[in-house]
Amino acid sequence: MSGAKISGMDTLIDELEKRYGSKALKEKVDRALIKGASVFKAELVREFESFKDTGASIKEITLSSPMDFDGKRTIRVSWQGDKNRFRIIHLNEFGTVKNPNPKGKGAIARAERSAREAYQRVIQEELGRG
């Protein structure tokens, strides 16, 4: 995703860390990230449905486990599977010289924009629970 900003989250995280400790907070953040990532994945699947052929790109959408990346907890979205769709996802997202406007052009960006509010809401709800 493009690093969506949620205002007030730093204060909330500081308060949660004071109440529960850093290990418990990390587990809580991880649960929230997993739920938020599933919201994004569902929107990504919806976008990919509009131009699917065999459905291999949809079947190979993979979410990583929560990890630290650049000082923040993150879940990575990738394409893994026996059809090796990761090789063509960027071509479909941006087009090529020979095919500048494929059917699925911009699908990942559209999914990110469409899922942004729902993703933020899920993260806030999960982190706000005591």
Side-chain angles (χ1 to χ4, degrees):
M1 292 183 56
S2 66
K5 277 283 193 203
I6 303 173
S7 61
M9 291 306 292
D10 292 335
T11 307
L12 176 61
I13 290 172
D14 289 344
E15 182 64 30
L16 289 169
E17 196 167 62
K18 285 178 192 172
R19 287 186 190 180
Y20 303 111
S22 60
K23 184 178 178 187
L25 177 61
K26 184 177 178 181
E27 291 171 3
K28 194 170 186 59
V29 167
D30 287 353
R31 282 193 305 272
L33 282 173
I34 290 167
K35 285 192 175 186
S38 66
V39 166
F40 174 69
K41 182 179 178 180
E43 186 61 31
L44 194 57
V45 167
R46 191 183 72 70
E47 281 291 335
F48 274 51
E49 285 285 336
S50 67
F51 62 91
K52 80 175 184 179
D53 183 20
T54 64
S57 292
I58 294 171
K59 291 175 192 158
E60 291 190 6
I61 296 172
T62 306
L63 301 175
S64 72
S65 298
M67 66 179 105
D68 290 316
F69 180 77
D70 199 22
K72 298 185 188 313
R73 292 300 282 173
T74 303
I75 290 183
R76 187 175 193 161
V77 178
S78 61
W79 281 260
Q80 296 176 346
D82 58 346
K83 301 285 186 191
N84 293 318
R85 301 307 282 189
F86 72 93
R87 296 182 190 275
I88 65 165
I89 293 300
H90 71 284
L91 299 175
N92 198 51
E93 182 69 5
F94 301 108
T96 64
V97 172
K98 289 186 178 183
N99 185 10
N101 294 306
K103 286 183 185 177
K105 185 173 183 174
I108 298 170
R110 283 192 306 275
E112 189 272 328
R113 282 191 306 270
S114 297
R116 185 177 294 153
E117 284 184 31
Y119 172 84
Q120 290 175 350
R121 187 174 52 254
V122 166
I123 296 292
Q124 286 177 331
E125 287 172 0
E126 285 299 310
L127 291 178
R129 290 184 184 157

